[in-house]
Amino acid sequence: MSRFFHSFNGRMILAVVGIHLLLVPVLLFGIYRVIKPSLEAQFVNYVRSDALLFSNLVTPRLQHSKAGELQGLLGEFLLNGRLAFAEIATERGNIRADIELNAQQQFQEDFFFGEHDDDIYFLAVPILNPEDGSLAMLRLGYDERQIQRDIATIYQRSAYFVAVYMGLTLLVVGLFGRKLVMPLERLRDEAEQIAAGNHTGQFNSGTKITEVAALAEHLEKMRQALLSARDAALQAAGAKSEFLANMSHEIRTPMNGIIGMIGLALRTDLTPQQREFLGMANSSADALLRIVNDILDFSKIEARKLELDHAPFKVRESLGDTLKLLAGHAHEKDLELMLRIDPETPDDLLGDVGRLNQVIINLVGNAIKFTQHGEIVVQVKPESVDENKVCLQIAVSDTGIGISPDKQQLIFEAFAQIDASSTRKFGGTGLGLSISSRLVELMGGHLSLESEEHKGSTFFFTAVFDRHTKSEADAPFQPLIDVKNLPVLIVDDNAINLRVFSEILNHWGMRPTTVDSGEAAITALKSMAETGEAYALILLDAMMPIMDGFMVAQAIREDQRFEPVTIMMLSSADRPDDCERCHDLGINLYVRKPVKHSELWNAIQSALGKSAKAAEAALTVLAEPPRKLRILLAEDNPVNQYMAVVLLEERGHTVKVANNGQEVLDILATDILFDLILMDVQMPVMDGFQATEAIRASERETGKHMRIIAMTAHALKGDRERCLAVGMDDYIAKPVQEQDLLAMVECWNMAGTEQADNHSMASALLAEPALDWQQALSRVRGRQQMLCKMMTLFQEQSAPLLNDMADAIQRQDAELLRLSAHTLKSSANSIGAFPFGKIAQQLETMGHEAAFTDAAASYELLQQASIRLEPAIQEYLHEFQE
């Protein structure tokens, strides 16, 4: 609405309405001043002539003194619509009408010309009585309200006229204004398109209005001039950017050679002076290369040729690595460099982590350059998070020299510096912040600054990234030790460090206690000892005033009241004797700040006395089975037979093996004392479904029920329902995990699972590791000898089965192809040869569907996978035997 009233049409309509609103009072006032006196004069003339007529009618009746006739005559007078009062005043008395008078006020005096009173116009007419010559007075009162009604009617008609006139005027103004505004709006839209970069349109108003057409012509001339200027500017900018890019590349090539040769020279035997000179040359070459890189990035941005990558990365790991690279420069100036990431920040994202790190390096590098003492803090928190995207807000704060308000905007411009004089203290090209600002804009954010001279600066920027959905391969490793509710003491004199470590440990479920000095740490340890408890871990800062971390560690080791506690020393310095001092004081681990999240996690695990090789010893021990079972295993694959028999017999169960469904029926014909049957679904001669149907048919006569658990490597959607439909009691998918198998056999309470196979092309699988022996080893609970035996059996059976598959493809024997591929797939998955197993599964599906179109190509891929798998198995067997 506000926009409409600011438009041309709106202003014209407001003007018309305003003029009419001003004219209405003038019109009403004119009506009042002109028409009202005219109506009153007309009224007076009427009543006077009427009164003379009435007097002529009354005079003859006065002569005979006929009072009754006079009363009747006055009554007839009152029947006049305007007459409200009538009487005759004589010497003998007053004669009034024989009907009730309407006048509210009685006539008071005699007058001829009349008087207005109480909306009644009184009039007196003298009458001469011809009989005796006496004088009588005819008094009449006329209702004046008719005048008011006539005036109101005139007002009403005038208002109708003004309204109609105003409406017609507004309609005409609107149509005229629209016809005038439309070409102007068209010119405006064309100007907006040209301002947005679309220079193809021409200014054309499409109207015959001379002034508007002239405006369009002038705008078209301006557009042509703008196009010429733009083309010239683009040509100049392109030439500049191309020159910068070419020069940067030309300089980088010899620079790489210079740096490489200097590096090789530094590895040779040199005199101290030569090593010093080469070291200085190497530093200068690195500085020059950084300048060239900045110029190259700037030229790419200017030429709009810089594109961002879109790859998965972990925020905490990436930023931690970046700050590790900068920590050395910060520690050389005794600066504290800290990284604080909000626990609510998603860790797995998609974006250009290289460019993100480039911005961080520029900002932190500047902070280190302009800060002489104090600290530098990088803080990360989510500004907004949804299912698909996250906007991170990152702040880099320092306690440096600060920037004056008049220079804060200047530093974001290319080649601009706070101090551009020849005597400036700090170097640089002046491109870092300009490049960082452009990169942040490409990442969907904005770079800003808050600073105060001599108190430090804080650079803020936001960046938008996609959320990364982790795959199974990205699943986090299980911790080697459970740190839930683990009491930890954090000792650091820096409040931000205390907050950072406390947030991280709280996020991991630990119970941190923070103190800001060595004395407070000793007090906290004493208080904990008095309660009968102890801290499991101490994170100890090495650099603290009065009582540093090494003094605290020494006091802890010498005090007998403190139980042996794990101590992790954290230091922002790089002193050569720190590691030796840690060893002498029994400090478990020494870590340099800033500490990455993963580094801190691994350090805690390591400091608490766990290692990767201890993982197998820390595996959960299964409870003893409630009773020993007799199990009939129906499995045609020797590898799977061997694994299942070993796992079950180690638990004390008795296992009898059948190679197919027919053997199961033959065994049950002579021995029915089995607690359950582990039934493979796909077997030669008679498969598991047929065997189960035969067993259930015989049980209908005996009334008994044998527990049958299906095992299949297919695990397709609907297999569980099919197994239950033929009478099987439960279902377990291959490759079978030991705990799943034992839980199914011993507890019989584990529901089957459905697994969906949705693999990519088999050729892509050849890029994966041929053998994942770690996963296979975990399935057999670390039994190396058992896994080696399974691999040996796989080697023995793979060659004949591959030959069978080749014959099946040549003869297009779908059943032979299916059975051979099924056996190979099951065996391969059992030993961790998953790429081989996936290709075999593709061939099994082809056999099941009798589709031989791509069978030869898939078989070729399977042979390639076999060639890759053989040396991997041999290498594993060789390492185990050693």
Side-chain angles (χ1 to χ4, degrees), residues 18-48:
I19 292 173
H20 281 79
L21 290 179
L22 289 176
L23 289 177
V24 166
V26 175
L27 176 64
L28 296 179
F29 182 73
I31 293 173
Y32 180 79
R33 295 289 295 177
V34 176
I35 298 179
K36 183 179 179 183
S38 175
L39 291 175
E40 289 178 347
Q42 182 181 356
F43 174 78
V44 169
N45 292 331
Y46 169 78
V47 298
R48 286 183 178 181

PDB file of all heavy atoms in Angstrom, residues 18-48:
ATOM      1  N   GLY A  18      -7.810  14.780  -2.861  1.00  0.00           N
ATOM      2  CA  GLY A  18      -7.601  15.929  -1.986  1.00  0.00           C
ATOM      3  C   GLY A  18      -8.293  17.175  -2.501  1.00  0.00           C
ATOM      4  O   GLY A  18      -8.903  17.928  -1.721  1.00  0.00           O
ATOM      5  N   ILE A  19      -8.211  17.420  -3.813  1.00  0.00           N
ATOM      6  CA  ILE A  19      -8.876  18.596  -4.393  1.00  0.00           C
ATOM      7  C   ILE A  19     -10.385  18.520  -4.186  1.00  0.00           C
ATOM      8  O   ILE A  19     -11.040  19.501  -3.804  1.00  0.00           O
ATOM      9  CB  ILE A  19      -8.523  18.715  -5.885  1.00  0.00           C
ATOM     10  CG1 ILE A  19      -7.031  19.068  -6.037  1.00  0.00           C
ATOM     11  CG2 ILE A  19      -9.403  19.755  -6.570  1.00  0.00           C
ATOM     12  CD1 ILE A  19      -6.545  19.037  -7.472  1.00  0.00           C
ATOM     13  N   HIS A  20     -10.961  17.350  -4.410  1.00  0.00           N
ATOM     14  CA  HIS A  20     -12.408  17.210  -4.242  1.00  0.00           C
ATOM     15  C   HIS A  20     -12.814  17.357  -2.784  1.00  0.00           C
ATOM     16  O   HIS A  20     -13.868  17.936  -2.475  1.00  0.00           O
ATOM     17  CB  HIS A  20     -12.866  15.862  -4.793  1.00  0.00           C
ATOM     18  CG  HIS A  20     -12.997  15.826  -6.284  1.00  0.00           C
ATOM     19  ND1 HIS A  20     -11.907  15.676  -7.117  1.00  0.00           N
ATOM     20  CD2 HIS A  20     -14.079  15.942  -7.104  1.00  0.00           C
ATOM     21  CE1 HIS A  20     -12.302  15.690  -8.367  1.00  0.00           C
ATOM     22  NE2 HIS A  20     -13.623  15.854  -8.406  1.00  0.00           N
ATOM     23  N   LEU A  21     -11.999  16.835  -1.891  1.00  0.00           N
ATOM     24  CA  LEU A  21     -12.324  16.980  -0.473  1.00  0.00           C
ATOM     25  C   LEU A  21     -12.260  18.440  -0.046  1.00  0.00           C
ATOM     26  O   LEU A  21     -12.997  18.868   0.850  1.00  0.00           O
ATOM     27  CB  LEU A  21     -11.361  16.136   0.363  1.00  0.00           C
ATOM     28  CG  LEU A  21     -11.535  14.618   0.239  1.00  0.00           C
ATOM     29  CD1 LEU A  21     -10.498  13.892   1.088  1.00  0.00           C
ATOM     30  CD2 LEU A  21     -12.935  14.190   0.663  1.00  0.00           C
ATOM     31  N   LEU A  22     -11.391  19.226  -0.681  1.00  0.00           N
ATOM     32  CA  LEU A  22     -11.346  20.650  -0.386  1.00  0.00           C
ATOM     33  C   LEU A  22     -12.528  21.394  -1.005  1.00  0.00           C
ATOM     34  O   LEU A  22     -13.035  22.375  -0.439  1.00  0.00           O
ATOM     35  CB  LEU A  22     -10.029  21.245  -0.921  1.00  0.00           C
ATOM     36  CG  LEU A  22      -8.755  20.836  -0.170  1.00  0.00           C
ATOM     37  CD1 LEU A  22      -7.535  21.412  -0.873  1.00  0.00           C
ATOM     38  CD2 LEU A  22      -8.803  21.305   1.275  1.00  0.00           C
ATOM     39  N   LEU A  23     -13.012  20.931  -2.176  1.00  0.00           N
ATOM     40  CA  LEU A  23     -14.121  21.593  -2.845  1.00  0.00           C
ATOM     41  C   LEU A  23     -15.463  21.322  -2.177  1.00  0.00           C
ATOM     42  O   LEU A  23     -16.379  22.150  -2.261  1.00  0.00           O
ATOM     43  CB  LEU A  23     -14.178  21.160  -4.312  1.00  0.00           C
ATOM     44  CG  LEU A  23     -13.061  21.684  -5.217  1.00  0.00           C
ATOM     45  CD1 LEU A  23     -13.201  21.114  -6.612  1.00  0.00           C
ATOM     46  CD2 LEU A  23     -13.084  23.212  -5.275  1.00  0.00           C
ATOM     47  N   VAL A  24     -15.608  20.181  -1.538  1.00  0.00           N
ATOM     48  CA  VAL A  24     -16.899  19.833  -0.921  1.00  0.00           C
ATOM     49  C   VAL A  24     -17.303  20.852   0.145  1.00  0.00           C
ATOM     50  O   VAL A  24     -18.439  21.368   0.149  1.00  0.00           O
ATOM     51  CB  VAL A  24     -16.847  18.396  -0.358  1.00  0.00           C
ATOM     52  CG1 VAL A  24     -18.043  18.152   0.566  1.00  0.00           C
ATOM     53  CG2 VAL A  24     -16.878  17.394  -1.490  1.00  0.00           C
ATOM     54  N   PRO A  25     -16.449  21.241   1.104  1.00  0.00           N
ATOM     55  CA  PRO A  25     -16.861  22.274   2.082  1.00  0.00           C
ATOM     56  C   PRO A  25     -17.197  23.602   1.414  1.00  0.00           C
ATOM     57  O   PRO A  25     -18.133  24.307   1.832  1.00  0.00           O
ATOM     58  CB  PRO A  25     -15.635  22.399   2.980  1.00  0.00           C
ATOM     59  CG  PRO A  25     -14.898  21.127   2.825  1.00  0.00           C
ATOM     60  CD  PRO A  25     -15.122  20.720   1.414  1.00  0.00           C
ATOM     61  N   VAL A  26     -16.418  23.962   0.366  1.00  0.00           N
ATOM     62  CA  VAL A  26     -16.714  25.218  -0.345  1.00  0.00           C
ATOM     63  C   VAL A  26     -18.111  25.159  -0.978  1.00  0.00           C
ATOM     64  O   VAL A  26     -18.897  26.115  -0.907  1.00  0.00           O
ATOM     65  CB  VAL A  26     -15.636  25.488  -1.413  1.00  0.00           C
ATOM     66  CG1 VAL A  26     -15.993  26.721  -2.242  1.00  0.00           C
ATOM     67  CG2 VAL A  26     -14.283  25.664  -0.749  1.00  0.00           C
ATOM     68  N   LEU A  27     -18.424  23.994  -1.585  1.00  0.00           N
ATOM     69  CA  LEU A  27     -19.730  23.835  -2.210  1.00  0.00           C
ATOM     70  C   LEU A  27     -20.852  23.913  -1.178  1.00  0.00           C
ATOM     71  O   LEU A  27     -21.866  24.595  -1.377  1.00  0.00           O
ATOM     72  CB  LEU A  27     -19.784  22.494  -2.956  1.00  0.00           C
ATOM     73  CG  LEU A  27     -21.117  22.120  -3.600  1.00  0.00           C
ATOM     74  CD1 LEU A  27     -21.473  23.122  -4.705  1.00  0.00           C
ATOM     75  CD2 LEU A  27     -21.032  20.708  -4.194  1.00  0.00           C
ATOM     76  N   LEU A  28     -20.675  23.243  -0.055  1.00  0.00           N
ATOM     77  CA  LEU A  28     -21.701  23.254   0.985  1.00  0.00           C
ATOM     78  C   LEU A  28     -21.879  24.655   1.563  1.00  0.00           C
ATOM     79  O   LEU A  28     -23.002  25.102   1.845  1.00  0.00           O
ATOM     80  CB  LEU A  28     -21.327  22.252   2.080  1.00  0.00           C
ATOM     81  CG  LEU A  28     -21.274  20.785   1.644  1.00  0.00           C
ATOM     82  CD1 LEU A  28     -20.864  19.901   2.802  1.00  0.00           C
ATOM     83  CD2 LEU A  28     -22.631  20.340   1.096  1.00  0.00           C
ATOM     84  N   PHE A  29     -20.763  25.335   1.766  1.00  0.00           N
ATOM     85  CA  PHE A  29     -20.852  26.698   2.289  1.00  0.00           C
ATOM     86  C   PHE A  29     -21.573  27.614   1.283  1.00  0.00           C
ATOM     87  O   PHE A  29     -22.376  28.470   1.663  1.00  0.00           O
ATOM     88  CB  PHE A  29     -19.448  27.228   2.579  1.00  0.00           C
ATOM     89  CG  PHE A  29     -19.435  28.602   3.169  1.00  0.00           C
ATOM     90  CD1 PHE A  29     -19.825  28.814   4.490  1.00  0.00           C
ATOM     91  CD2 PHE A  29     -19.049  29.698   2.408  1.00  0.00           C
ATOM     92  CE1 PHE A  29     -19.809  30.097   5.030  1.00  0.00           C
ATOM     93  CE2 PHE A  29     -19.039  30.974   2.941  1.00  0.00           C
ATOM     94  CZ  PHE A  29     -19.423  31.177   4.263  1.00  0.00           C
ATOM     95  N   GLY A  30     -21.294  27.404  -0.006  1.00  0.00           N
ATOM     96  CA  GLY A  30     -21.979  28.212  -1.021  1.00  0.00           C
ATOM     97  C   GLY A  30     -23.471  27.945  -1.027  1.00  0.00           C
ATOM     98  O   GLY A  30     -24.283  28.865  -1.172  1.00  0.00           O
ATOM     99  N   ILE A  31     -23.844  26.688  -0.901  1.00  0.00           N
ATOM    100  CA  ILE A  31     -25.263  26.347  -0.844  1.00  0.00           C
ATOM    101  C   ILE A  31     -25.916  27.035   0.348  1.00  0.00           C
ATOM    102  O   ILE A  31     -27.021  27.598   0.257  1.00  0.00           O
ATOM    103  CB  ILE A  31     -25.451  24.820  -0.773  1.00  0.00           C
ATOM    104  CG1 ILE A  31     -25.002  24.184  -2.101  1.00  0.00           C
ATOM    105  CG2 ILE A  31     -26.891  24.451  -0.466  1.00  0.00           C
ATOM    106  CD1 ILE A  31     -24.998  22.680  -2.080  1.00  0.00           C
ATOM    107  N   TYR A  32     -25.197  27.002   1.460  1.00  0.00           N
ATOM    108  CA  TYR A  32     -25.759  27.595   2.680  1.00  0.00           C
ATOM    109  C   TYR A  32     -25.912  29.111   2.539  1.00  0.00           C
ATOM    110  O   TYR A  32     -26.910  29.685   2.958  1.00  0.00           O
ATOM    111  CB  TYR A  32     -24.860  27.244   3.861  1.00  0.00           C
ATOM    112  CG  TYR A  32     -25.341  27.817   5.172  1.00  0.00           C
ATOM    113  CD1 TYR A  32     -26.382  27.194   5.883  1.00  0.00           C
ATOM    114  CD2 TYR A  32     -24.779  28.978   5.684  1.00  0.00           C
ATOM    115  CE1 TYR A  32     -26.823  27.725   7.074  1.00  0.00           C
ATOM    116  CE2 TYR A  32     -25.212  29.516   6.880  1.00  0.00           C
ATOM    117  CZ  TYR A  32     -26.244  28.880   7.579  1.00  0.00           C
ATOM    118  OH  TYR A  32     -26.695  29.415   8.768  1.00  0.00           O
ATOM    119  N   ARG A  33     -24.924  29.763   1.911  1.00  0.00           N
ATOM    120  CA  ARG A  33     -24.924  31.221   1.825  1.00  0.00           C
ATOM    121  C   ARG A  33     -25.834  31.752   0.699  1.00  0.00           C
ATOM    122  O   ARG A  33     -26.321  32.869   0.775  1.00  0.00           O
ATOM    123  CB  ARG A  33     -23.509  31.720   1.583  1.00  0.00           C
ATOM    124  CG  ARG A  33     -22.554  31.437   2.732  1.00  0.00           C
ATOM    125  CD  ARG A  33     -22.862  32.288   3.929  1.00  0.00           C
ATOM    126  NE  ARG A  33     -22.637  33.709   3.645  1.00  0.00           N
ATOM    127  CZ  ARG A  33     -22.889  34.689   4.507  1.00  0.00           C
ATOM    128  NH1 ARG A  33     -23.420  34.391   5.696  1.00  0.00           N
ATOM    129  NH2 ARG A  33     -22.645  35.942   4.190  1.00  0.00           N
ATOM    130  N   VAL A  34     -26.080  30.972  -0.324  1.00  0.00           N
ATOM    131  CA  VAL A  34     -26.833  31.463  -1.481  1.00  0.00           C
ATOM    132  C   VAL A  34     -28.236  30.876  -1.526  1.00  0.00           C
ATOM    133  O   VAL A  34     -29.244  31.595  -1.647  1.00  0.00           O
ATOM    134  CB  VAL A  34     -26.069  31.152  -2.783  1.00  0.00           C
ATOM    135  CG1 VAL A  34     -26.902  31.581  -3.991  1.00  0.00           C
ATOM    136  CG2 VAL A  34     -24.719  31.851  -2.786  1.00  0.00           C
ATOM    137  N   ILE A  35     -28.348  29.585  -1.432  1.00  0.00           N
ATOM    138  CA  ILE A  35     -29.643  28.925  -1.635  1.00  0.00           C
ATOM    139  C   ILE A  35     -30.563  29.118  -0.441  1.00  0.00           C
ATOM    140  O   ILE A  35     -31.774  29.329  -0.590  1.00  0.00           O
ATOM    141  CB  ILE A  35     -29.425  27.434  -1.931  1.00  0.00           C
ATOM    142  CG1 ILE A  35     -28.624  27.279  -3.228  1.00  0.00           C
ATOM    143  CG2 ILE A  35     -30.736  26.689  -2.012  1.00  0.00           C
ATOM    144  CD1 ILE A  35     -28.339  25.853  -3.612  1.00  0.00           C
ATOM    145  N   LYS A  36     -30.006  29.107   0.776  1.00  0.00           N
ATOM    146  CA  LYS A  36     -30.874  29.226   1.947  1.00  0.00           C
ATOM    147  C   LYS A  36     -31.616  30.570   1.968  1.00  0.00           C
ATOM    148  O   LYS A  36     -32.850  30.603   2.168  1.00  0.00           O
ATOM    149  CB  LYS A  36     -30.063  29.046   3.222  1.00  0.00           C
ATOM    150  CG  LYS A  36     -30.920  29.097   4.477  1.00  0.00           C
ATOM    151  CD  LYS A  36     -30.092  28.879   5.734  1.00  0.00           C
ATOM    152  CE  LYS A  36     -30.994  28.974   6.970  1.00  0.00           C
ATOM    153  NZ  LYS A  36     -30.211  28.829   8.215  1.00  0.00           N
ATOM    154  N   PRO A  37     -30.962  31.735   1.781  1.00  0.00           N
ATOM    155  CA  PRO A  37     -31.734  32.995   1.742  1.00  0.00           C
ATOM    156  C   PRO A  37     -32.778  33.006   0.627  1.00  0.00           C
ATOM    157  O   PRO A  37     -33.882  33.561   0.801  1.00  0.00           O
ATOM    158  CB  PRO A  37     -30.656  34.050   1.503  1.00  0.00           C
ATOM    159  CG  PRO A  37     -29.408  33.417   2.034  1.00  0.00           C
ATOM    160  CD  PRO A  37     -29.537  31.979   1.717  1.00  0.00           C
ATOM    161  N   SER A  38     -32.469  32.412  -0.496  1.00  0.00           N
ATOM    162  CA  SER A  38     -33.422  32.376  -1.600  1.00  0.00           C
ATOM    163  C   SER A  38     -34.663  31.583  -1.228  1.00  0.00           C
ATOM    164  O   SER A  38     -35.797  31.988  -1.500  1.00  0.00           O
ATOM    165  CB  SER A  38     -32.761  31.791  -2.841  1.00  0.00           C
ATOM    166  OG  SER A  38     -33.697  31.651  -3.894  1.00  0.00           O
ATOM    167  N   LEU A  39     -34.415  30.435  -0.570  1.00  0.00           N
ATOM    168  CA  LEU A  39     -35.552  29.616  -0.146  1.00  0.00           C
ATOM    169  C   LEU A  39     -36.377  30.336   0.908  1.00  0.00           C
ATOM    170  O   LEU A  39     -37.626  30.264   0.915  1.00  0.00           O
ATOM    171  CB  LEU A  39     -35.062  28.267   0.377  1.00  0.00           C
ATOM    172  CG  LEU A  39     -34.471  27.319  -0.671  1.00  0.00           C
ATOM    173  CD1 LEU A  39     -33.921  26.061   0.015  1.00  0.00           C
ATOM    174  CD2 LEU A  39     -35.528  26.924  -1.701  1.00  0.00           C
ATOM    175  N   GLU A  40     -35.730  31.033   1.817  1.00  0.00           N
ATOM    176  CA  GLU A  40     -36.464  31.742   2.858  1.00  0.00           C
ATOM    177  C   GLU A  40     -37.290  32.881   2.250  1.00  0.00           C
ATOM    178  O   GLU A  40     -38.445  33.116   2.637  1.00  0.00           O
ATOM    179  CB  GLU A  40     -35.483  32.283   3.901  1.00  0.00           C
ATOM    180  CG  GLU A  40     -34.865  31.196   4.761  1.00  0.00           C
ATOM    181  CD  GLU A  40     -33.862  31.776   5.744  1.00  0.00           C
ATOM    182  OE1 GLU A  40     -33.486  32.957   5.579  1.00  0.00           O
ATOM    183  OE2 GLU A  40     -33.448  31.037   6.675  1.00  0.00           O
ATOM    184  N   ALA A  41     -36.691  33.618   1.294  1.00  0.00           N
ATOM    185  CA  ALA A  41     -37.441  34.715   0.649  1.00  0.00           C
ATOM    186  C   ALA A  41     -38.649  34.172  -0.118  1.00  0.00           C
ATOM    187  O   ALA A  41     -39.754  34.746  -0.083  1.00  0.00           O
ATOM    188  CB  ALA A  41     -36.530  35.501  -0.286  1.00  0.00           C
ATOM    189  N   GLN A  42     -38.432  33.050  -0.792  1.00  0.00           N
ATOM    190  CA  GLN A  42     -39.542  32.434  -1.541  1.00  0.00           C
ATOM    191  C   GLN A  42     -40.653  32.011  -0.584  1.00  0.00           C
ATOM    192  O   GLN A  42     -41.847  32.165  -0.863  1.00  0.00           O
ATOM    193  CB  GLN A  42     -39.007  31.248  -2.333  1.00  0.00           C
ATOM    194  CG  GLN A  42     -40.044  30.562  -3.173  1.00  0.00           C
ATOM    195  CD  GLN A  42     -39.465  29.363  -3.936  1.00  0.00           C
ATOM    196  OE1 GLN A  42     -38.275  29.127  -3.867  1.00  0.00           O
ATOM    197  NE2 GLN A  42     -40.314  28.667  -4.655  1.00  0.00           N
ATOM    198  N   PHE A  43     -40.208  31.494   0.601  1.00  0.00           N
ATOM    199  CA  PHE A  43     -41.178  31.048   1.609  1.00  0.00           C
ATOM    200  C   PHE A  43     -41.988  32.233   2.133  1.00  0.00           C
ATOM    201  O   PHE A  43     -43.214  32.178   2.275  1.00  0.00           O
ATOM    202  CB  PHE A  43     -40.426  30.349   2.733  1.00  0.00           C
ATOM    203  CG  PHE A  43     -41.291  29.963   3.901  1.00  0.00           C
ATOM    204  CD1 PHE A  43     -42.127  28.853   3.861  1.00  0.00           C
ATOM    205  CD2 PHE A  43     -41.316  30.760   5.047  1.00  0.00           C
ATOM    206  CE1 PHE A  43     -42.921  28.523   4.942  1.00  0.00           C
ATOM    207  CE2 PHE A  43     -42.113  30.417   6.125  1.00  0.00           C
ATOM    208  CZ  PHE A  43     -42.922  29.308   6.075  1.00  0.00           C
ATOM    209  N   VAL A  44     -41.307  33.340   2.392  1.00  0.00           N
ATOM    210  CA  VAL A  44     -41.998  34.524   2.933  1.00  0.00           C
ATOM    211  C   VAL A  44     -43.015  35.061   1.919  1.00  0.00           C
ATOM    212  O   VAL A  44     -44.168  35.401   2.265  1.00  0.00           O
ATOM    213  CB  VAL A  44     -40.977  35.601   3.324  1.00  0.00           C
ATOM    214  CG1 VAL A  44     -41.683  36.930   3.640  1.00  0.00           C
ATOM    215  CG2 VAL A  44     -40.158  35.135   4.512  1.00  0.00           C
ATOM    216  N   ASN A  45     -42.648  35.147   0.666  1.00  0.00           N
ATOM    217  CA  ASN A  45     -43.574  35.621  -0.372  1.00  0.00           C
ATOM    218  C   ASN A  45     -44.808  34.723  -0.457  1.00  0.00           C
ATOM    219  O   ASN A  45     -45.944  35.190  -0.630  1.00  0.00           O
ATOM    220  CB  ASN A  45     -42.890  35.690  -1.720  1.00  0.00           C
ATOM    221  CG  ASN A  45     -41.820  36.776  -1.752  1.00  0.00           C
ATOM    222  OD1 ASN A  45     -41.927  37.776  -1.047  1.00  0.00           O
ATOM    223  ND2 ASN A  45     -40.809  36.589  -2.599  1.00  0.00           N
ATOM    224  N   TYR A  46     -44.524  33.420  -0.320  1.00  0.00           N
ATOM    225  CA  TYR A  46     -45.647  32.476  -0.411  1.00  0.00           C
ATOM    226  C   TYR A  46     -46.622  32.677   0.734  1.00  0.00           C
ATOM    227  O   TYR A  46     -47.846  32.771   0.539  1.00  0.00           O
ATOM    228  CB  TYR A  46     -45.102  31.044  -0.412  1.00  0.00           C
ATOM    229  CG  TYR A  46     -46.162  29.994  -0.236  1.00  0.00           C
ATOM    230  CD1 TYR A  46     -46.994  29.611  -1.293  1.00  0.00           C
ATOM    231  CD2 TYR A  46     -46.359  29.403   1.010  1.00  0.00           C
ATOM    232  CE1 TYR A  46     -47.978  28.661  -1.107  1.00  0.00           C
ATOM    233  CE2 TYR A  46     -47.344  28.449   1.195  1.00  0.00           C
ATOM    234  CZ  TYR A  46     -48.155  28.077   0.132  1.00  0.00           C
ATOM    235  OH  TYR A  46     -49.138  27.144   0.326  1.00  0.00           O
ATOM    236  N   VAL A  47     -46.101  32.742   1.972  1.00  0.00           N
ATOM    237  CA  VAL A  47     -47.002  32.831   3.135  1.00  0.00           C
ATOM    238  C   VAL A  47     -47.707  34.192   3.175  1.00  0.00           C
ATOM    239  O   VAL A  47     -48.843  34.303   3.639  1.00  0.00           O
ATOM    240  CB  VAL A  47     -46.220  32.572   4.436  1.00  0.00           C
ATOM    241  CG1 VAL A  47     -45.626  31.167   4.425  1.00  0.00           C
ATOM    242  CG2 VAL A  47     -45.109  33.591   4.645  1.00  0.00           C
ATOM    243  N   ARG A  48     -47.052  35.239   2.682  1.00  0.00           N
ATOM    244  CA  ARG A  48     -47.725  36.540   2.691  1.00  0.00           C
ATOM    245  C   ARG A  48     -48.910  36.564   1.705  1.00  0.00           C
ATOM    246  O   ARG A  48     -50.015  37.067   2.025  1.00  0.00           O
ATOM    247  CB  ARG A  48     -46.739  37.634   2.357  1.00  0.00           C
ATOM    248  CG  ARG A  48     -45.786  37.930   3.509  1.00  0.00           C
ATOM    249  CD  ARG A  48     -44.847  39.069   3.176  1.00  0.00           C
ATOM    250  NE  ARG A  48     -43.983  39.370   4.309  1.00  0.00           N
ATOM    251  CZ  ARG A  48     -43.064  40.340   4.326  1.00  0.00           C
ATOM    252  NH1 ARG A  48     -42.920  41.109   3.237  1.00  0.00           N
ATOM    253  NH2 ARG A  48     -42.336  40.557   5.400  1.00  0.00           N
TER     254      ARG A  48
END
